Amino acid sequence: MRSRICAGAPPGNAVALALISVFLLAGCGTPPADSGASGGANSQSTSPSPAVAASGTTEAAPSPSASMVCGEETRSNIVRILALPSPPHTTDAWADKLYACTYALPAGSLVLSVKELADPAAAHVYFDGLQRGAASARPIEGMANLGLPAFETTGGSVVFVKDNFVLTVDATALPPTLGPHSVSRNAFAYEVATAVLACWSE
């Protein structure tokens, strides 16, 4: 049965109202029937250009769920959160089952990436390794209870694991606050991540 994931508010000074606005405004379109399954791109997404691996050879394309981080829905959410006058330019890359999309924002670069693993157990192992290796990593309380283990860093990145995917939103290249409401980069990264999670289905 298809279900949308609506994660809770971030720890500390929550941005619950802003997050609710994102969910209401987000045009998720029709999510893929199986997160991680192959198939056509989301019908309302702008499909990214074919990503080329670091070796220069084209690998099998990322799944529709992974491609969503560079799709129309995510781009539109970023525009709305930051009240940008126009959609930001993006570049994408696909190598070693890691799909990355870089948004060239006026304030700096925002990088969203999705690591596709063989199964949920492998995804949790990968997630745990990232958490151990990240400086100042701290769990985002309450997410594990929702089946979405997550952590954030003081530098401005958040990482979630969902099924066989590990989603990272890296806002470390952005200033401490941004947008018309001076949202912190951690809160911004959280909003972007949870908007993506809201469009994934199981």
Side-chain angles (χ1 to χ4, degrees):
M1 181 176 70
R2 230 175 242 180
S3 63
R4 288 191 176 176
I5 304 299
C6 294
N13 294 324
V15 289
L17 292 178
L19 181 58
I20 291 171
S21 297
V22 170
F23 286 140
L24 290 176
L25 292 171
C28 293
T30 304
D34 178 22
S35 61
S38 60
N42 186 309
S43 61
Q44 294 189 19
S45 294
T46 300
S47 299
S49 59
V52 178
S55 63
T57 59
T58 302
E59 296 182 350
S63 68
S65 292
S67 298
M68 194 174 290
V69 299
C70 216
E72 181 181 345
E73 297 89 354
T74 303
R75 187 165 49 251
S76 296
N77 284 330
I78 291 170
V79 168
R80 290 184 182 110
I81 295 168
L82 299 180
L84 299 177
S86 61
H89 176 72
T90 61
T91 56
D92 65 338
W94 168 244
D96 299 325
K97 299 296 183 181
L98 178 70
Y99 182 68
C101 182
T102 301
Y103 288 80
L105 302 178
S109 296
L110 172 72
V111 182
L112 278 66
S113 62
V114 178
K115 179 71 172 181
E116 298 190 33
L117 286 305
D119 51 47
H124 279 264
V125 170
Y126 183 83
F127 170 86
D128 291 341
L130 291 180
Q131 186 168 14
R132 286 193 302 270
S136 68
R138 57 177 181 264
I140 298 178
E141 300 297 333
M143 293 296 96
N145 294 336
L146 297 175
L148 295 168
F151 70 87
E152 64 176 348
T153 69
T154 56
S157 62
V158 297
V159 181
F160 284 82
V161 59
K162 167 78 169 71
D163 297 332
N164 63 313
F165 294 144
V166 177
L167 168 67
T168 300
V169 177
D170 183 352
T172 56
L174 298 175
T177 60
L178 60 159
H181 303 294
S182 296
V183 65
S184 74
R185 62 188 168 201
N186 276 79
F188 170 63
Y190 183 94
E191 288 184 69
V192 173
T194 51
V196 171
L197 290 167
C199 293
W200 284 357
S201 65
E202 59 184 7

